[in-house]
Amino acid sequence: MRRTLAALATVFSLLMTMAQAATLDGRTLSFESDTGATIRTRTFAGALGELRGPVTQGDITWLGIGPELYSFDEDGHILGRLDFSGPIRALDEGAGSYLLTVTAGYPGVQDTYTVSNSNISGGEVRERVFLPPRLEVTNWLERAAQLATPAQVRQAVSLDPTNPFLALRHAELAQTQGDQTTALAEIERAARIEPLAFPAVLRLAARMEDLGQPLQADLLLRRAARDYLTRGYDPQVPVSREALRAYGDPLGTANKLLHGALLSTSPLSNTTPLDSAQLQRADVWLRYLRQISPRFEQSGEVYERYAALLEAHQNATPENTTAADWRTFARSLNAGTLYHLGPNALLKLQDAARLLCAALSLTIAASLALLLVRRWPLRDVEQARPRPASGDQLLIWQRPLWQLRRSVLGYAGLGEKLIVLSLLLALLLSLLAWNWTARTQAALSAPVLNRGTYGATWLYDTLANLYPGRDADLLRGLAAQLSEDEVQARRYYQQALDRARQRANTSQKYGIAQEYSTTLGCIQNNLGVIAQQQGDVAGAREQWRLARSTAPDLPSAAYNLGLAATSSLSKPSASHTPPPLYLPLRGQTLCYPDQRSLISVLGGNVSTEITLFVRRPWQQLLLVPTGLPPTWQWAWVISLLGLCLYAALMLLVPPLHAPQRFGTTLGGLPRSLTFRALAVLLPGSALLDGAWGGALLLSWATLSLLLSASWLHWPTLAYLSLPAPPLLLGLLVLIYVINLSTLVIKQWLYWRQLRHY
């Protein structure tokens, strides 16, 4: 009996000392027993971010610290940690006793999540969490670990066992003290800590490389890839360099390893072997990028530099890696881009439009200059003729039609007027193309579209401003599907399906239905993924087979049907490199719109630009990104529109004098020496009465600009692949020879005609 009473007393005393409440006073979290005694206190540094909570549910206490949600047991020990998309704004108890509602994010871009606390490890988030590329979110754990001084590291590790970077700091300190056993144990424990978002996993893998643990780094890279795909990020979506740095900076780690490999190489010789171990590790990280985020910003330049390095140091090339492999892979990224020009297609077109605008402007200036010089000898003739009775000198507003007829184009023939007007209209179209490429490139480079996913809240404003069409519906359906709203996704997909089928049937007779078939196949593939997730395996496979028959080159449908081994997803070899699409880490793969589809929904097309120009020409020209001050922008727009109107009006006015042959000018006067010199220096300018004269002058202007850009390295044409200067110079000389030969022949024919008279 006494033993029973003693046992009951012990249980009662334990129950009395159980933690019943957690209170937050400033930045100190206290756990108190039922009697009010403080069991444990924790103080959080201000650099960790705002604190939200605490909220106690049963035996678990929740506290939001910056973008992290920590769960504590009744004694104040950490049970687990969950990552969110931004600073936690609010914690509320959900409808059930084991549910917690978490609001996280930034002003205007906030998400609401449901956390289940039935998990013994501290809970799990039911929704998919998209991480914004902001270092204060993705690098929070590493920054938190750096707050502890070396003397505090051991205590910090015991207080927060969920932070792997604290474990690594403990391992580094143990290594410096010669305690290899503790160091290896902490390294292994850091690599096993879960859950951990992929940016933190990548940073952890980079730290493992620094500690000389390549096997641990390889395991962490596979884990990061799995988490990347599970969260709804996809290799088909481009990633900016800024986002890549926030997402663990794998490219920075690869560059660091390459730099370490090159340290053993003499800068004066390419024959000195590289550090093969470092190069092998760099190859591992570059292959991670190649399979997970291959379309990162300036990826083509990175792959080309690495291929050149492998080509120069073939004796240190890692196994199954060749320069040809990487170049073939880089070329495979051009599929789906505009005119297959690669990820920088719009930038290349923008530079081409700039070059064409400059060449047309130079051509127009040269044409008008020669016409003006040809008019000079007529001044004396005009002064000798009777003038209107309005004084010796007419002002510009006096008899404007009389003066207009005696302007530069008043003495030009119909062919010359047509050439000048055609050049002006071509300049307008080139300016519109420049404006369209610049505007579309700015929309395509928007940060929200270059974060590796289309399924986050930050995309909603962009989705509301798309040009209507099947590709816009496909993108909206993808966003809804990634946000796990399958009903809304089906609605968008069905709408896009109807539009694509209608357009494909209409255009098939003209042989231009390929792009519509690709959109159809993409939609059918994504509908199959929805069916698979709902348990309809037969319906899913039927949709994927339809996608394969509609678009045979669609790799996502082939992957979902299990045809990867026999399709383009086979193992890399020297003769074949797979497209950078998928890793076998998840059941099904979605199909994403390619760059051409994104361009159509973000920028429309050039016909849209022309329509806007017809309605408001001055407004569209003012938007051309010339970089000039507003006053100068207005000045050239007014001048250009006025010149176009003048050239069109002069088409209705007959020339004052019929154009004569090359030997004489208007009115029977001889050609001036200035005219003859310009006719030789500006090829084609004296031959504007024929269309090929304008083509010769435009070719001269283009080659002159290309040669100047090649010699002076103009930054405005950085994305154009310029021909070699000797080739440009040779073509320019050829144009001069053709022009001079034509002038000599025309002069000889004129002299021959004079002999007959």
Side-chain angles (χ1 to χ4, degrees):
M1 186 67 180
R2 290 180 179 179
R3 292 181 179 179
T4 304
L5 291 176
L8 290 175
T10 302
V11 172
F12 181 77
S13 62
L14 288 174
L15 290 173
M16 290 296 293
T17 57
M18 287 179 61
Q20 296 295 327
T23 58
L24 185 65
D25 183 13
R27 301 192 66 85
T28 300
L29 180 66
S30 302
F31 293 86
E32 299 177 352
S33 66
D34 200 20
T35 60
T38 300
I39 299 176
R40 185 183 297 272
T41 61
R42 287 174 173 267
T43 302
F44 304 97
L48 296 177
E50 297 182 3
L51 305 181
R52 299 295 179 184
V55 173
T56 301
Q57 291 181 318
D59 296 335
I60 296 180
T61 296
W62 304 95
L63 180 69
I65 309 174
E68 306 293 324
L69 179 64
Y70 278 87
S71 57
F72 301 87
D73 65 7
E74 55 190 10
D75 293 325
H77 297 103
I78 291 180
L79 290 175
R81 175 191 44 77
L82 299 174
D83 305 302
F84 287 92
S85 58
I88 295 176
R89 302 297 179 182
L91 297 178
D92 301 295
E93 294 192 42
S97 58
Y98 293 101
L99 296 178
L100 181 74
T101 302
V102 180
T103 303
Y106 294 88
V109 187
Q110 294 187 0
D111 299 281
T112 301
Y113 303 95
T114 303
V115 176
S116 169
N117 64 6
S118 59
N119 194 332
I120 192 172
S121 63
E124 59 182 5
V125 186
R126 292 188 173 182
E127 294 81 11
R128 182 177 281 152
V129 179
F130 296 100
L131 299 175
R134 304 183 67 148
L135 285 173
E136 61 265 27
V137 175
T138 60
N139 202 30
W140 188 90
L141 287 173
E142 193 170 6
R143 288 188 296 106
Q146 295 299 324
L147 294 177
T149 63
Q152 298 171 338
V153 168
R154 189 183 299 273
Q155 181 185 7
V157 168
S158 62
L159 290 176
D160 187 1
T162 66
N163 191 334
F165 297 99
L166 282 172
L168 282 189
R169 287 200 64 190
H170 191 200
E172 291 171 350
L173 290 176
Q175 276 187 343
T176 59
Q177 296 170 2
D179 189 355
Q180 295 298 326
T181 303
T182 302
L184 291 176
E186 286 295 275
I187 287 173
E188 292 180 2
R189 189 178 72 84
R192 292 195 305 268
I193 291 177
E194 293 190 21
L196 202 61
F198 69 90
V201 177
L202 287 174
R203 291 300 306 148
L204 195 61
R207 297 283 295 274
M208 292 293 183
E209 296 284 0
D210 296 337
L211 293 173
Q213 298 291 329
L215 295 179
Q216 297 288 358
D218 288 344
L219 293 175
L220 288 169
L221 285 176
R222 295 191 188 97
R223 183 172 151 196
R226 187 177 297 109
D227 185 72
Y228 186 87
L229 296 176
T230 303
R231 289 180 183 270
Y233 294 82
D234 199 276
Q236 300 175 80
V237 184
V239 181
S240 66
R241 292 292 288 270
E242 180 184 1
L244 203 62
R245 279 190 289 269
Y247 287 154
D249 199 14
L251 183 59
T253 304
N255 286 333
K256 180 180 177 181
L257 291 167
L258 283 175
H259 180 70
L262 288 169
L263 288 180
S264 63
T265 304
S266 170
L268 302 178
S269 173
N270 287 335
T271 59
T272 305
L274 290 167
D275 185 342
S276 57
Q278 290 276 62
L279 186 61
Q280 178 68 41
R281 297 310 306 162
D283 187 79
V284 169
W285 282 81
L286 285 173
R287 285 191 175 276
Y288 168 85
L289 279 171
R290 173 172 165 163
Q291 294 185 327
I292 293 300
S293 303
R295 302 175 189 276
F296 61 88
E297 186 180 354
Q298 298 178 345
S299 58
E301 291 85 346
V302 173
Y303 298 145
E304 178 57 35
R305 285 199 301 269
Y306 184 57
L309 177 66
L310 294 176
E311 202 169 40
H313 302 277
Q314 297 182 6
N315 54 341
T317 300
E319 187 180 357
N320 296 328
T321 297
T322 64
D325 261 348
W326 286 92
R327 289 197 173 102
T328 304
F329 174 77
R331 286 194 297 269
S332 73
L333 295 176
N334 295 343
T337 60
L338 194 62
Y339 304 123
H340 296 279
L341 292 176
N344 296 325
L346 281 175
L347 293 173
K348 294 177 181 178
L349 291 179
Q350 183 177 350
D351 283 355
R354 286 174 178 169
L355 176 65
L356 186 57
C357 288
L360 286 169
S361 300
L362 185 58
T363 304
I364 293 169
S367 304
L368 294 179
L370 199 79
L371 292 175
L372 183 62
V373 170
R374 192 179 68 177
R375 175 183 173 272
W376 283 351
L378 294 175
R379 289 179 299 178
D380 296 336
V381 178
E382 289 295 332
Q383 290 177 358
R385 292 179 179 177
R387 284 177 168 273
S390 57
D392 294 336
Q393 187 68 32
L394 287 176
L395 299 177
I396 192 169
W397 60 82
Q398 295 176 332
R399 303 294 297 270
L401 294 179
W402 189 89
Q403 296 195 62
L404 180 66
R405 194 179 181 195
R406 284 156 179 80
S407 59
V408 177
L409 291 182
Y411 298 95
L414 180 61
E416 294 168 328
K417 293 177 182 178
L418 285 173
I419 290 294
V420 172
L421 183 59
S422 300
L423 290 173
L424 287 169
L425 293 178
L427 178 57
L428 286 177
L429 289 176
S430 301
L431 288 169
L432 293 180
W434 181 5
N435 186 37
W436 176 78
T437 54
R439 177 174 56 84
T440 308
Q441 176 62 31
L444 198 64
S445 302
V448 295
L449 294 174
N450 293 271
R451 295 178 174 178
T453 183
Y454 294 146
T457 308
W458 59 65
L459 193 67
Y460 291 168
D461 291 339
T462 302
L463 293 177
N465 299 316
L466 300 177
Y467 283 85
R470 64 192 184 281
D471 294 311
D473 292 332
L474 172 60
L475 188 58
R476 292 190 178 104
L478 263 172
Q481 188 171 0
L482 289 170
S483 299
E484 301 174 337
D485 188 353
E486 295 177 353
V487 175
Q488 188 77 344
R490 276 184 177 276
R491 188 176 70 83
Y492 281 125
Y493 285 150
Q494 189 59 47
Q495 186 174 335
L497 205 60
D498 296 339
R499 288 181 177 180
R501 281 173 176 165
Q502 181 180 2
R503 194 66 182 267
N505 293 334
T506 303
S507 59
Q508 193 169 11
K509 66 178 74 173
Y510 303 105
I512 56 173
Q514 182 178 1
E515 57 175 313
Y516 309 120
S517 300
T518 303
T519 303
L520 267 171
C522 204
I523 297 167
Q524 290 164 344
N525 175 82
N526 295 350
L527 287 173
V529 173
I530 292 178
Q532 175 79 10
Q533 291 173 346
Q534 293 178 346
D536 185 4
V537 179
R541 296 191 65 83
E542 179 62 26
Q543 288 286 353
W544 294 330
R545 279 192 287 268
L546 285 174
R548 283 278 291 171
S549 61
T550 305
D553 295 332
L554 197 65
S556 54
Y559 179 83
N560 291 333
L561 286 170
L563 304 177
T566 58
S567 69
S568 58
L569 297 173
S570 57
K571 184 180 178 180
S573 64
S575 60
H576 176 73
T577 300
L581 294 178
Y582 317 111
L583 280 176
L585 297 175
R586 61 181 183 183
Q588 306 86 36
T589 280
L590 295 172
C591 179
Y592 285 73
D594 55 23
Q595 188 194 70
R596 288 173 297 191
S597 300
L598 289 176
I599 287 173
S600 68
V601 300
L602 294 172
N605 48 44
V606 180
S607 62
T608 306
E609 201 77 17
I610 295 176
T611 303
L612 294 175
F613 172 76
V614 172
R615 294 175 181 174
R616 297 179 296 274
W618 57 89
Q619 184 175 351
Q620 291 302 111
L621 290 177
L622 287 173
L623 295 176
V624 176
T626 59
L628 296 173
T631 304
W632 288 97
Q633 188 89 345
W634 271 103
W636 77 259
V637 168
I638 293 174
S639 301
L640 179 58
L641 291 177
L643 191 58
C644 290
L645 182 62
Y646 164 68
L649 181 62
M650 292 308 294
L651 278 178
L652 306 177
V653 179
L656 281 175
H657 303 273
Q660 301 296 321
R661 296 178 182 86
F662 182 74
T664 61
T665 188
L666 300 176
L669 299 175
R671 301 284 190 186
S672 65
L673 182 61
T674 305
F675 176 86
R676 294 179 183 276
L678 288 178
V680 174
L681 293 176
L682 304 176
S685 58
L687 309 171
L688 293 179
D689 51 342
W692 69 279
L696 195 66
L697 186 57
L698 181 59
S699 301
W700 165 82
T702 304
L703 287 173
S704 300
L705 291 172
L706 284 175
L707 194 59
S708 301
S710 180
W711 281 342
L712 301 176
H713 303 288
W714 289 354
T716 52
L717 302 179
Y719 291 94
L720 281 184
S721 299
L722 301 179
L727 176 61
L728 294 174
L729 191 59
L731 292 175
L732 195 60
V733 170
L734 178 62
I735 286 179
Y736 272 106
V737 171
I738 293 173
N739 178 66
L740 186 60
S741 302
T742 306
L743 294 179
V744 170
I745 292 172
K746 289 179 70 71
Q747 185 67 48
W748 179 76
L749 291 175
Y750 172 71
W751 284 341
R752 183 181 178 185
Q753 189 176 7
L754 284 180
R755 292 195 193 99
H756 290 288
Y757 291 102

